[in-house]
Amino acid sequence: MKILSAKDYSQKLKVSIQASGKLSFPNETVKCLDIDSSSKVLFGQDDIDSKTLYFILPDDRSRQDAFEVRASGKYYYVPTKTMFDALGFDYSSEDAAVLFDLVRMESMDKEAGGKVFKMSRREVADDVE
């Protein structure tokens, strides 16, 4: 039996697409996932439902196909504009705030080679950080 710790479910992890197309991290997500300017991330797309995306923190930080996390002061982001444009996301209009809750998908870690989170999309104009 595996004990499910309340500590693993007490933080609400999220990311958002800024009007510039960058994927940004709120401070609590940065702290919980231990993200810094040496971090890299991968994105996965579900084979059956192409609208379902996955956020992956790869075990191997030297992967050439990973996106580099960049920092601007204490603000961390991933330059994802080209990817989100290709996937057809509308993030640039004033009322098109795109926010994703990150849901841990531990069962997919081995296949993806890192920590996997399902990106559950919600569009909320008032909740963007």
Side-chain angles (χ1 to χ4, degrees):
M1 173 182 2
K2 178 181 177 182
I3 302 298
L4 302 176
S5 171
K7 292 187 290 184
D8 294 335
Y9 303 101
S10 62
Q11 301 263 351
K12 188 170 190 174
L13 302 177
K14 60 185 175 181
V15 293
S16 60
I17 306 174
Q18 301 300 311
S20 63
K22 297 174 184 174
L23 188 74
S24 67
F25 304 97
N27 287 335
E28 61 190 41
T29 300
V30 168
K31 288 177 188 173
C32 187
L33 298 182
D34 197 26
I35 291 173
D36 61 29
S37 57
S38 69
S39 299
K40 290 191 174 186
V41 299
L42 294 166
F43 295 93
Q45 189 174 38
D46 192 84
D47 291 333
I48 298 169
D49 179 7
S50 64
K51 292 184 180 185
T52 300
L53 298 177
Y54 298 95
F55 175 90
I56 306 158
L57 293 171
D59 295 332
D60 179 4
R61 289 188 174 200
S62 66
R63 287 190 62 151
Q64 298 297 314
D65 57 345
F67 289 78
E68 293 183 8
V69 173
R70 297 190 180 157
S72 177
K74 292 183 179 182
Y75 168 76
Y76 290 94
Y77 67 92
V78 179
T80 49
K81 179 182 181 354
T82 304
M83 181 185 78
F84 287 126
D85 286 347
L87 294 174
F89 280 84
D90 176 19
Y91 55 82
S92 60
S93 63
E94 190 172 309
D95 60 339
V98 182
L99 190 77
F100 297 95
D101 292 319
L102 299 179
V103 180
R104 187 72 169 93
M105 304 294 291
E106 193 173 338
S107 63
M108 300 175 75
D109 288 358
K110 186 174 181 180
E111 174 187 354
K115 291 182 181 176
V116 179
F117 299 83
K118 182 176 182 181
M119 297 173 68
S120 295
R121 183 178 176 174
R122 64 179 161 116
E123 296 183 35
V124 181
D126 296 336
D127 196 18
V128 176
E129 298 203 11

